[in-house]
Amino acid sequence: MKREWRRGSIALTAGYAIFNADGELVQNLADVQFALEGGFVNIRVAGRDDTQVVSAPALSLITCHTLGEQE
């Protein structure tokens, strides 16, 4: 199964956080790449070499700006 990456914004519910490009924990990030996969969201943040993963209950809002590449 290939991941379908999209570009958009992520907002997490209270109590959840992901790392921004500076290594700070934040609840909201704009202009990220994300892929939905079986109840989880894979998130790529520009300036980081890793892919962060959060479960569906951690999400407050995803705003999709563009469809992306297949991996």
Side-chain angles (χ1 to χ4, degrees):
M1 179 177 182
K2 294 185 177 187
R3 288 185 183 140
E4 184 178 334
W5 291 96
R6 296 179 167 107
R7 185 165 296 282
S9 302
I10 301 280
L12 301 178
T13 60
Y16 294 93
I18 55 177
F19 291 103
N20 66 12
D22 296 324
E24 302 166 325
L25 286 171
V26 296
Q27 285 185 292
N28 302 297
L29 276 176
D31 197 28
V32 298
Q33 288 185 324
F34 65 91
L36 305 173
E37 187 175 40
F40 294 89
V41 179
N42 297 272
I43 304 167
R44 292 179 179 166
V45 177
R48 295 188 60 87
D49 294 331
D50 58 356
T51 298
Q52 301 176 72
V53 180
V54 298
S55 63
L59 297 169
S60 175
L61 177 68
I62 294 178
T63 304
C64 184
H65 301 295
T66 61
L67 298 179
E69 66 199 54
Q70 295 279 328
E71 180 185 280

Short mmCIF file of all heavy atoms in Angstrom, two decimals:
data_model
loop_
_atom_site.label_atom_id
_atom_site.label_comp_id
_atom_site.label_asym_id
_atom_site.label_seq_id
_atom_site.Cartn_x
_atom_site.Cartn_y
_atom_site.Cartn_z
N MET A 1 0.84 -1.19 0.00
CA MET A 1 0.00 0.00 0.00
C MET A 1 0.88 1.25 0.00
O MET A 1 1.80 1.37 0.79
CB MET A 1 -0.88 -0.02 1.24
CG MET A 1 -1.77 1.15 1.37
SD MET A 1 -2.84 0.94 2.83
CE MET A 1 -3.79 2.39 2.70
N LYS A 2 0.59 2.16 -0.90
CA LYS A 2 1.36 3.39 -0.99
C LYS A 2 0.65 4.50 -0.23
O LYS A 2 -0.57 4.61 -0.27
CB LYS A 2 1.52 3.80 -2.45
CG LYS A 2 2.36 2.82 -3.23
CD LYS A 2 2.59 3.33 -4.63
CE LYS A 2 3.49 2.37 -5.37
NZ LYS A 2 3.88 2.87 -6.66
N ARG A 3 1.44 5.31 0.46
CA ARG A 3 0.87 6.47 1.15
C ARG A 3 0.60 7.57 0.14
O ARG A 3 1.40 7.85 -0.72
CB ARG A 3 1.85 6.99 2.20
CG ARG A 3 1.98 6.11 3.38
CD ARG A 3 2.87 6.77 4.41
NE ARG A 3 3.04 5.87 5.52
CZ ARG A 3 4.18 5.70 6.17
NH1 ARG A 3 5.25 6.40 5.83
NH2 ARG A 3 4.26 4.86 7.17
N GLU A 4 -0.54 8.22 0.30
CA GLU A 4 -0.87 9.37 -0.52
C GLU A 4 -0.63 10.62 0.32
O GLU A 4 -1.40 10.93 1.23
CB GLU A 4 -2.33 9.31 -0.97
CG GLU A 4 -2.69 10.42 -1.91
CD GLU A 4 -4.13 10.33 -2.39
OE1 GLU A 4 -4.68 9.22 -2.41
OE2 GLU A 4 -4.68 11.38 -2.72
N TRP A 5 0.46 11.32 0.04
CA TRP A 5 0.84 12.50 0.80
C TRP A 5 0.06 13.71 0.31
O TRP A 5 -0.10 13.91 -0.89
CB TRP A 5 2.34 12.75 0.70
CG TRP A 5 3.12 11.72 1.43
CD1 TRP A 5 3.68 10.60 0.88
CD2 TRP A 5 3.39 11.67 2.82
NE1 TRP A 5 4.29 9.86 1.86
CE2 TRP A 5 4.13 10.49 3.07
CE3 TRP A 5 3.08 12.49 3.90
CZ2 TRP A 5 4.57 10.14 4.34
CZ3 TRP A 5 3.51 12.14 5.16
CH2 TRP A 5 4.25 10.98 5.37
N ARG A 6 -0.41 14.49 1.26
CA ARG A 6 -1.12 15.73 0.97
C ARG A 6 -0.43 16.85 1.73
O ARG A 6 0.28 16.61 2.69
CB ARG A 6 -2.57 15.62 1.43
CG ARG A 6 -3.34 14.57 0.67
CD ARG A 6 -4.77 14.49 1.20
NE ARG A 6 -5.60 13.71 0.30
CZ ARG A 6 -6.03 12.50 0.57
NH1 ARG A 6 -5.71 11.90 1.70
NH2 ARG A 6 -6.79 11.86 -0.30
N ARG A 7 -0.69 18.08 1.31
CA ARG A 7 -0.12 19.23 2.01
C ARG A 7 -1.26 19.99 2.66
O ARG A 7 -2.33 20.15 2.08
CB ARG A 7 0.61 20.14 1.03
CG ARG A 7 1.33 21.30 1.72
CD ARG A 7 2.32 21.97 0.83
NE ARG A 7 3.42 21.12 0.44
CZ ARG A 7 4.48 20.81 1.20
NH1 ARG A 7 4.57 21.26 2.42
NH2 ARG A 7 5.44 20.04 0.74
N GLY A 8 -1.04 20.44 3.90
CA GLY A 8 -2.08 21.17 4.59
C GLY A 8 -1.65 21.60 5.97
O GLY A 8 -0.47 21.73 6.26
N SER A 9 -2.64 21.78 6.83
CA SER A 9 -2.43 22.22 8.21
C SER A 9 -3.01 21.18 9.16
O SER A 9 -4.01 20.54 8.85
CB SER A 9 -3.12 23.56 8.45
OG SER A 9 -2.65 24.53 7.55
N ILE A 10 -2.37 21.05 10.32
CA ILE A 10 -2.78 20.09 11.34
C ILE A 10 -3.03 20.83 12.65
O ILE A 10 -2.21 21.65 13.06
CB ILE A 10 -1.67 19.04 11.59
CG1 ILE A 10 -1.33 18.28 10.31
CG2 ILE A 10 -2.02 18.10 12.73
CD1 ILE A 10 -2.25 17.17 9.94
N ALA A 11 -4.14 20.53 13.29
CA ALA A 11 -4.42 21.05 14.64
C ALA A 11 -4.73 19.84 15.52
O ALA A 11 -5.55 19.00 15.15
CB ALA A 11 -5.59 22.02 14.62
N LEU A 12 -4.06 19.76 16.66
CA LEU A 12 -4.26 18.64 17.57
C LEU A 12 -5.13 19.06 18.75
O LEU A 12 -5.19 20.24 19.12
CB LEU A 12 -2.91 18.14 18.07
CG LEU A 12 -1.93 17.66 17.00
CD1 LEU A 12 -0.61 17.24 17.63
CD2 LEU A 12 -2.51 16.54 16.18
N THR A 13 -5.79 18.09 19.35
CA THR A 13 -6.60 18.36 20.53
C THR A 13 -5.70 18.60 21.74
O THR A 13 -4.51 18.26 21.73
CB THR A 13 -7.56 17.19 20.82
OG1 THR A 13 -6.80 16.01 21.04
CG2 THR A 13 -8.52 16.97 19.69
N ALA A 14 -6.26 19.16 22.78
CA ALA A 14 -5.51 19.44 24.01
C ALA A 14 -4.89 18.16 24.55
O ALA A 14 -5.52 17.10 24.54
CB ALA A 14 -6.43 20.07 25.05
N GLY A 15 -3.65 18.25 24.98
CA GLY A 15 -2.95 17.10 25.53
C GLY A 15 -2.07 16.38 24.53
O GLY A 15 -1.32 15.47 24.89
N TYR A 16 -2.16 16.75 23.25
CA TYR A 16 -1.34 16.14 22.20
C TYR A 16 -0.46 17.21 21.57
O TYR A 16 -0.85 18.37 21.49
CB TYR A 16 -2.20 15.50 21.11
CG TYR A 16 -3.00 14.33 21.58
CD1 TYR A 16 -4.30 14.48 22.05
CD2 TYR A 16 -2.45 13.05 21.55
CE1 TYR A 16 -5.04 13.39 22.47
CE2 TYR A 16 -3.19 11.96 21.99
CZ TYR A 16 -4.48 12.13 22.45
OH TYR A 16 -5.21 11.06 22.87
N ALA A 17 0.72 16.81 21.11
CA ALA A 17 1.63 17.76 20.47
C ALA A 17 2.55 17.02 19.51
O ALA A 17 2.77 15.81 19.64
CB ALA A 17 2.45 18.50 21.52
N ILE A 18 3.07 17.76 18.53
CA ILE A 18 4.09 17.25 17.62
C ILE A 18 5.22 18.27 17.58
O ILE A 18 5.06 19.41 18.01
CB ILE A 18 3.54 16.99 16.21
CG1 ILE A 18 2.87 18.23 15.63
CG2 ILE A 18 2.60 15.81 16.20
CD1 ILE A 18 2.36 18.05 14.20
N PHE A 19 6.37 17.84 17.06
CA PHE A 19 7.53 18.72 17.00
C PHE A 19 7.50 19.58 15.74
O PHE A 19 7.23 19.09 14.65
CB PHE A 19 8.83 17.91 17.00
CG PHE A 19 9.11 17.24 18.32
CD1 PHE A 19 8.88 15.89 18.47
CD2 PHE A 19 9.59 17.96 19.39
CE1 PHE A 19 9.13 15.25 19.67
CE2 PHE A 19 9.84 17.35 20.60
CZ PHE A 19 9.62 15.99 20.75
N ASN A 20 7.81 20.86 15.91
CA ASN A 20 7.97 21.74 14.75
C ASN A 20 9.42 21.65 14.26
O ASN A 20 10.21 20.86 14.78
CB ASN A 20 7.54 23.18 15.06
CG ASN A 20 8.42 23.88 16.08
OD1 ASN A 20 9.51 23.42 16.43
ND2 ASN A 20 7.95 25.03 16.57
N ALA A 21 9.77 22.45 13.27
CA ALA A 21 11.12 22.40 12.69
C ALA A 21 12.21 22.76 13.70
O ALA A 21 13.35 22.32 13.56
CB ALA A 21 11.19 23.33 11.48
N ASP A 22 11.86 23.53 14.73
CA ASP A 22 12.84 23.94 15.74
C ASP A 22 12.92 22.96 16.91
O ASP A 22 13.63 23.22 17.89
CB ASP A 22 12.49 25.33 16.28
CG ASP A 22 12.58 26.39 15.19
OD1 ASP A 22 13.47 26.29 14.32
OD2 ASP A 22 11.76 27.32 15.21
N GLY A 23 12.16 21.86 16.85
CA GLY A 23 12.18 20.87 17.92
C GLY A 23 11.30 21.20 19.10
O GLY A 23 11.37 20.57 20.13
N GLU A 24 10.43 22.20 18.94
CA GLU A 24 9.49 22.58 19.99
C GLU A 24 8.19 21.81 19.82
O GLU A 24 7.74 21.59 18.70
CB GLU A 24 9.19 24.08 19.93
CG GLU A 24 10.42 24.95 20.04
CD GLU A 24 10.14 26.39 19.63
OE1 GLU A 24 9.33 26.64 18.71
OE2 GLU A 24 10.78 27.26 20.24
N LEU A 25 7.57 21.41 20.93
CA LEU A 25 6.28 20.74 20.87
C LEU A 25 5.18 21.78 20.66
O LEU A 25 5.12 22.78 21.38
CB LEU A 25 6.03 19.96 22.16
CG LEU A 25 6.84 18.68 22.30
CD1 LEU A 25 6.68 18.10 23.70
CD2 LEU A 25 6.41 17.66 21.25
N VAL A 26 4.35 21.54 19.65
CA VAL A 26 3.26 22.47 19.32
C VAL A 26 1.99 21.67 19.05
O VAL A 26 2.02 20.48 18.79
CB VAL A 26 3.62 23.33 18.08
CG1 VAL A 26 4.81 24.23 18.37
CG2 VAL A 26 3.88 22.46 16.87
N GLN A 27 0.86 22.36 19.11
CA GLN A 27 -0.43 21.72 18.82
C GLN A 27 -0.93 22.03 17.41
O GLN A 27 -1.82 21.35 16.91
CB GLN A 27 -1.49 22.17 19.83
CG GLN A 27 -1.31 21.52 21.18
CD GLN A 27 -2.46 21.90 22.09
OE1 GLN A 27 -2.59 23.05 22.49
NE2 GLN A 27 -3.31 20.92 22.38
N ASN A 28 -0.39 23.06 16.77
CA ASN A 28 -0.83 23.47 15.44
C ASN A 28 0.37 23.69 14.54
O ASN A 28 1.35 24.32 14.95
CB ASN A 28 -1.62 24.79 15.52
CG ASN A 28 -2.82 24.67 16.42
OD1 ASN A 28 -3.72 23.91 16.14
ND2 ASN A 28 -2.82 25.42 17.50
N LEU A 29 0.27 23.18 13.33
CA LEU A 29 1.31 23.42 12.33
C LEU A 29 0.67 23.64 10.98
O LEU A 29 -0.24 22.92 10.57
CB LEU A 29 2.26 22.22 12.22
CG LEU A 29 3.40 22.15 13.22
CD1 LEU A 29 4.19 20.87 13.04
CD2 LEU A 29 4.32 23.34 13.07
N ALA A 30 1.15 24.65 10.27
CA ALA A 30 0.70 24.92 8.91
C ALA A 30 1.75 24.41 7.94
O ALA A 30 2.92 24.24 8.31
CB ALA A 30 0.50 26.42 8.73
N ASP A 31 1.35 24.15 6.72
CA ASP A 31 2.25 23.76 5.65
C ASP A 31 3.06 22.51 5.99
O ASP A 31 4.29 22.54 5.98
CB ASP A 31 3.16 24.91 5.25
CG ASP A 31 3.80 24.66 3.88
OD1 ASP A 31 3.19 23.95 3.06
OD2 ASP A 31 4.91 25.15 3.65
N VAL A 32 2.37 21.45 6.32
CA VAL A 32 3.00 20.15 6.55
C VAL A 32 2.53 19.18 5.47
O VAL A 32 1.55 19.43 4.78
CB VAL A 32 2.65 19.56 7.94
CG1 VAL A 32 3.15 20.46 9.05
CG2 VAL A 32 1.16 19.31 8.08
N GLN A 33 3.23 18.08 5.33
CA GLN A 33 2.76 16.98 4.50
C GLN A 33 2.16 15.94 5.44
O GLN A 33 2.71 15.70 6.52
CB GLN A 33 3.90 16.35 3.71
CG GLN A 33 4.42 17.19 2.58
CD GLN A 33 5.47 16.43 1.79
OE1 GLN A 33 6.25 15.68 2.33
NE2 GLN A 33 5.46 16.65 0.49
N PHE A 34 1.04 15.34 5.03
CA PHE A 34 0.44 14.31 5.87
C PHE A 34 -0.17 13.22 5.01
O PHE A 34 -0.52 13.44 3.85
CB PHE A 34 -0.62 14.90 6.82
CG PHE A 34 -1.81 15.47 6.12
CD1 PHE A 34 -2.93 14.68 5.87
CD2 PHE A 34 -1.84 16.78 5.70
CE1 PHE A 34 -4.03 15.19 5.23
CE2 PHE A 34 -2.94 17.31 5.05
CZ PHE A 34 -4.05 16.51 4.81
N ALA A 35 -0.24 12.02 5.58
CA ALA A 35 -0.85 10.88 4.91
C ALA A 35 -1.69 10.14 5.94
O ALA A 35 -1.24 9.86 7.04
CB ALA A 35 0.21 9.96 4.33
N LEU A 36 -2.94 9.84 5.57
CA LEU A 36 -3.85 9.09 6.44
C LEU A 36 -3.60 7.61 6.22
O LEU A 36 -3.49 7.15 5.08
CB LEU A 36 -5.29 9.44 6.10
CG LEU A 36 -5.62 10.94 6.15
CD1 LEU A 36 -7.01 11.17 5.62
CD2 LEU A 36 -5.45 11.48 7.54
N GLU A 37 -3.54 6.86 7.33
CA GLU A 37 -3.24 5.43 7.21
C GLU A 37 -3.81 4.67 8.40
O GLU A 37 -3.27 4.72 9.51
CB GLU A 37 -1.72 5.25 7.13
CG GLU A 37 -1.27 3.85 6.84
CD GLU A 37 0.24 3.78 6.65
OE1 GLU A 37 0.98 4.44 7.39
OE2 GLU A 37 0.65 3.05 5.75
N GLY A 38 -4.92 4.00 8.19
CA GLY A 38 -5.48 3.10 9.19
C GLY A 38 -5.69 3.68 10.58
O GLY A 38 -5.29 3.09 11.56
N GLY A 39 -6.30 4.84 10.70
CA GLY A 39 -6.56 5.43 12.01
C GLY A 39 -5.41 6.25 12.56
O GLY A 39 -5.44 6.70 13.70
N PHE A 40 -4.38 6.44 11.75
CA PHE A 40 -3.22 7.25 12.14
C PHE A 40 -2.94 8.27 11.05
O PHE A 40 -3.31 8.09 9.90
CB PHE A 40 -1.98 6.37 12.32
CG PHE A 40 -2.10 5.43 13.48
CD1 PHE A 40 -2.65 4.17 13.31
CD2 PHE A 40 -1.69 5.81 14.75
CE1 PHE A 40 -2.78 3.30 14.37
CE2 PHE A 40 -1.82 4.95 15.82
CZ PHE A 40 -2.36 3.69 15.63
N VAL A 41 -2.26 9.35 11.45
CA VAL A 41 -1.81 10.35 10.49
C VAL A 41 -0.29 10.42 10.57
O VAL A 41 0.27 10.62 11.64
CB VAL A 41 -2.42 11.74 10.78
CG1 VAL A 41 -1.92 12.76 9.78
CG2 VAL A 41 -3.93 11.67 10.74
N ASN A 42 0.36 10.21 9.43
CA ASN A 42 1.80 10.37 9.30
C ASN A 42 2.04 11.82 8.92
O ASN A 42 1.40 12.33 7.99
CB ASN A 42 2.34 9.46 8.20
CG ASN A 42 2.13 8.00 8.54
OD1 ASN A 42 2.94 7.39 9.18
ND2 ASN A 42 1.00 7.46 8.11
N ILE A 43 2.96 12.48 9.62
CA ILE A 43 3.17 13.92 9.41
C ILE A 43 4.64 14.19 9.14
O ILE A 43 5.51 13.78 9.92
CB ILE A 43 2.72 14.72 10.64
CG1 ILE A 43 1.26 14.42 10.98
CG2 ILE A 43 2.94 16.22 10.41
CD1 ILE A 43 0.83 14.91 12.34
N ARG A 44 4.90 14.89 8.04
CA ARG A 44 6.26 15.36 7.71
C ARG A 44 6.29 16.87 7.88
O ARG A 44 5.48 17.59 7.30
CB ARG A 44 6.61 15.03 6.27
CG ARG A 44 6.78 13.57 5.96
CD ARG A 44 7.08 13.45 4.48
NE ARG A 44 7.30 12.09 4.08
CZ ARG A 44 7.31 11.71 2.80
NH1 ARG A 44 7.09 12.58 1.84
NH2 ARG A 44 7.53 10.44 2.49
N VAL A 45 7.27 17.33 8.65
CA VAL A 45 7.44 18.76 8.90
C VAL A 45 8.72 19.19 8.20
O VAL A 45 9.78 18.58 8.39
CB VAL A 45 7.55 19.04 10.42
CG1 VAL A 45 7.82 20.51 10.68
CG2 VAL A 45 6.29 18.58 11.13
N ALA A 46 8.63 20.23 7.37
CA ALA A 46 9.81 20.76 6.67
C ALA A 46 10.88 21.11 7.71
O ALA A 46 10.57 21.70 8.75
CB ALA A 46 9.44 21.98 5.85
N GLY A 47 12.12 20.72 7.45
CA GLY A 47 13.22 20.99 8.38
C GLY A 47 13.50 19.85 9.33
O GLY A 47 14.44 19.91 10.11
N ARG A 48 12.69 18.79 9.29
CA ARG A 48 12.90 17.60 10.12
C ARG A 48 13.11 16.40 9.21
O ARG A 48 12.51 16.32 8.15
CB ARG A 48 11.72 17.34 11.05
CG ARG A 48 11.50 18.43 12.09
CD ARG A 48 10.45 18.05 13.09
NE ARG A 48 10.79 16.83 13.81
CZ ARG A 48 11.52 16.77 14.93
NH1 ARG A 48 11.99 17.88 15.45
NH2 ARG A 48 11.77 15.62 15.52
N ASP A 49 13.93 15.45 9.66
CA ASP A 49 14.22 14.26 8.86
C ASP A 49 13.31 13.09 9.19
O ASP A 49 13.39 12.06 8.55
CB ASP A 49 15.68 13.82 9.09
CG ASP A 49 16.66 14.84 8.55
OD1 ASP A 49 16.33 15.55 7.59
OD2 ASP A 49 17.78 14.92 9.10
N ASP A 50 12.43 13.24 10.17
CA ASP A 50 11.59 12.12 10.60
C ASP A 50 10.15 12.29 10.12
O ASP A 50 9.78 13.31 9.57
CB ASP A 50 11.62 11.99 12.12
CG ASP A 50 11.17 13.25 12.83
OD1 ASP A 50 10.89 14.28 12.18
OD2 ASP A 50 11.09 13.23 14.07
N THR A 51 9.38 11.23 10.31
CA THR A 51 7.94 11.27 10.08
C THR A 51 7.28 11.04 11.43
O THR A 51 7.55 10.03 12.09
CB THR A 51 7.50 10.18 9.09
OG1 THR A 51 8.14 10.43 7.83
CG2 THR A 51 5.99 10.19 8.90
N GLN A 52 6.46 11.97 11.87
CA GLN A 52 5.76 11.84 13.15
C GLN A 52 4.40 11.20 12.90
O GLN A 52 3.78 11.42 11.86
CB GLN A 52 5.60 13.22 13.79
CG GLN A 52 6.95 13.90 14.03
CD GLN A 52 6.79 15.29 14.57
OE1 GLN A 52 6.40 15.46 15.73
NE2 GLN A 52 7.06 16.28 13.75
N VAL A 53 3.95 10.40 13.84
CA VAL A 53 2.69 9.68 13.70
C VAL A 53 1.81 9.98 14.91
O VAL A 53 2.26 9.89 16.05
CB VAL A 53 2.93 8.16 13.60
CG1 VAL A 53 1.61 7.43 13.45
CG2 VAL A 53 3.86 7.83 12.45
N VAL A 54 0.56 10.35 14.64
CA VAL A 54 -0.42 10.56 15.71
C VAL A 54 -1.66 9.73 15.41
O VAL A 54 -1.98 9.47 14.24
CB VAL A 54 -0.80 12.05 15.92
CG1 VAL A 54 0.41 12.87 16.33
CG2 VAL A 54 -1.43 12.62 14.68
N SER A 55 -2.36 9.34 16.44
CA SER A 55 -3.59 8.57 16.26
C SER A 55 -4.76 9.51 15.98
O SER A 55 -4.71 10.70 16.30
CB SER A 55 -3.88 7.73 17.50
OG SER A 55 -4.10 8.57 18.61
N ALA A 56 -5.80 8.97 15.40
CA ALA A 56 -6.97 9.77 15.03
C ALA A 56 -7.55 10.57 16.20
O ALA A 56 -7.93 11.73 16.01
CB ALA A 56 -8.03 8.89 14.40
N PRO A 57 -7.63 10.03 17.43
CA PRO A 57 -8.18 10.83 18.52
C PRO A 57 -7.37 12.09 18.86
O PRO A 57 -7.88 13.00 19.50
CB PRO A 57 -8.17 9.87 19.71
CG PRO A 57 -8.19 8.51 19.11
CD PRO A 57 -7.39 8.64 17.83
N ALA A 58 -6.12 12.15 18.41
CA ALA A 58 -5.29 13.33 18.68
C ALA A 58 -5.66 14.51 17.80
O ALA A 58 -5.29 15.64 18.08
CB ALA A 58 -3.82 12.98 18.48
N LEU A 59 -6.40 14.27 16.74
CA LEU A 59 -6.68 15.30 15.75
C LEU A 59 -7.90 16.13 16.10
O LEU A 59 -8.95 15.61 16.46
CB LEU A 59 -6.91 14.67 14.39
CG LEU A 59 -5.71 13.93 13.83
CD1 LEU A 59 -6.11 13.13 12.62
CD2 LEU A 59 -4.60 14.90 13.50
N SER A 60 -7.74 17.43 15.98
CA SER A 60 -8.86 18.35 16.10
C SER A 60 -9.32 18.77 14.72
O SER A 60 -10.51 18.80 14.42
CB SER A 60 -8.44 19.56 16.92
OG SER A 60 -9.48 20.51 16.96
N LEU A 61 -8.34 19.07 13.82
CA LEU A 61 -8.67 19.55 12.48
C LEU A 61 -7.50 19.30 11.54
O LEU A 61 -6.35 19.53 11.90
CB LEU A 61 -8.96 21.05 12.52
CG LEU A 61 -9.27 21.73 11.20
CD1 LEU A 61 -10.61 21.27 10.64
CD2 LEU A 61 -9.26 23.24 11.38
N ILE A 62 -7.81 18.81 10.35
CA ILE A 62 -6.84 18.75 9.25
C ILE A 62 -7.44 19.57 8.12
O ILE A 62 -8.58 19.36 7.73
CB ILE A 62 -6.60 17.32 8.75
CG1 ILE A 62 -5.93 16.48 9.82
CG2 ILE A 62 -5.73 17.34 7.50
CD1 ILE A 62 -5.71 15.04 9.38
N THR A 63 -6.65 20.49 7.59
CA THR A 63 -7.06 21.26 6.43
C THR A 63 -6.15 20.88 5.28
O THR A 63 -4.94 21.03 5.38
CB THR A 63 -6.95 22.77 6.71
OG1 THR A 63 -7.73 23.08 7.86
CG2 THR A 63 -7.43 23.58 5.52
N CYS A 64 -6.73 20.35 4.22
CA CYS A 64 -5.96 19.89 3.06
C CYS A 64 -5.89 21.01 2.03
O CYS A 64 -6.92 21.51 1.58
CB CYS A 64 -6.61 18.65 2.48
SG CYS A 64 -5.68 17.94 1.11
N HIS A 65 -4.67 21.38 1.65
CA HIS A 65 -4.48 22.44 0.66
C HIS A 65 -4.23 21.87 -0.73
O HIS A 65 -4.70 22.44 -1.71
CB HIS A 65 -3.32 23.35 1.05
CG HIS A 65 -3.51 23.99 2.38
ND1 HIS A 65 -4.51 24.90 2.66
CD2 HIS A 65 -2.85 23.84 3.55
CE1 HIS A 65 -4.45 25.28 3.92
NE2 HIS A 65 -3.46 24.64 4.48
N THR A 66 -3.49 20.77 -0.81
CA THR A 66 -3.21 20.16 -2.11
C THR A 66 -3.11 18.66 -1.97
O THR A 66 -2.74 18.14 -0.91
CB THR A 66 -1.87 20.66 -2.71
OG1 THR A 66 -0.80 20.30 -1.83
CG2 THR A 66 -1.87 22.15 -2.95
N LEU A 67 -3.42 17.95 -3.03
CA LEU A 67 -3.16 16.52 -3.08
C LEU A 67 -1.71 16.32 -3.42
O LEU A 67 -1.10 17.17 -4.06
CB LEU A 67 -4.07 15.85 -4.10
CG LEU A 67 -5.57 15.97 -3.80
CD1 LEU A 67 -6.37 15.27 -4.89
CD2 LEU A 67 -5.90 15.36 -2.46
N GLY A 68 -1.16 15.19 -3.02
CA GLY A 68 0.28 15.04 -3.18
C GLY A 68 0.70 13.79 -3.90
O GLY A 68 -0.04 13.17 -4.64
N GLU A 69 1.94 13.40 -3.61
CA GLU A 69 2.62 12.30 -4.27
C GLU A 69 2.26 10.96 -3.66
O GLU A 69 1.76 10.89 -2.54
CB GLU A 69 4.12 12.52 -4.13
CG GLU A 69 4.56 12.41 -2.68
CD GLU A 69 5.90 13.02 -2.37
OE1 GLU A 69 6.08 14.19 -2.70
OE2 GLU A 69 6.74 12.32 -1.79
N GLN A 70 2.52 9.91 -4.36
CA GLN A 70 2.37 8.57 -3.84
C GLN A 70 3.74 8.10 -3.36
O GLN A 70 4.75 8.40 -3.97
CB GLN A 70 1.88 7.62 -4.93
CG GLN A 70 0.50 7.93 -5.44
CD GLN A 70 -0.58 7.39 -4.53
OE1 GLN A 70 -0.42 6.37 -3.90
NE2 GLN A 70 -1.68 8.09 -4.46
N GLU A 71 3.77 7.37 -2.26
CA GLU A 71 5.04 6.78 -1.79
C GLU A 71 4.89 5.30 -1.69
O GLU A 71 3.91 4.77 -1.28
CB GLU A 71 5.41 7.34 -0.42
CG GLU A 71 6.69 6.77 0.10
CD GLU A 71 6.99 7.22 1.51
OE1 GLU A 71 7.48 8.35 1.64
OE2 GLU A 71 6.71 6.47 2.45
#
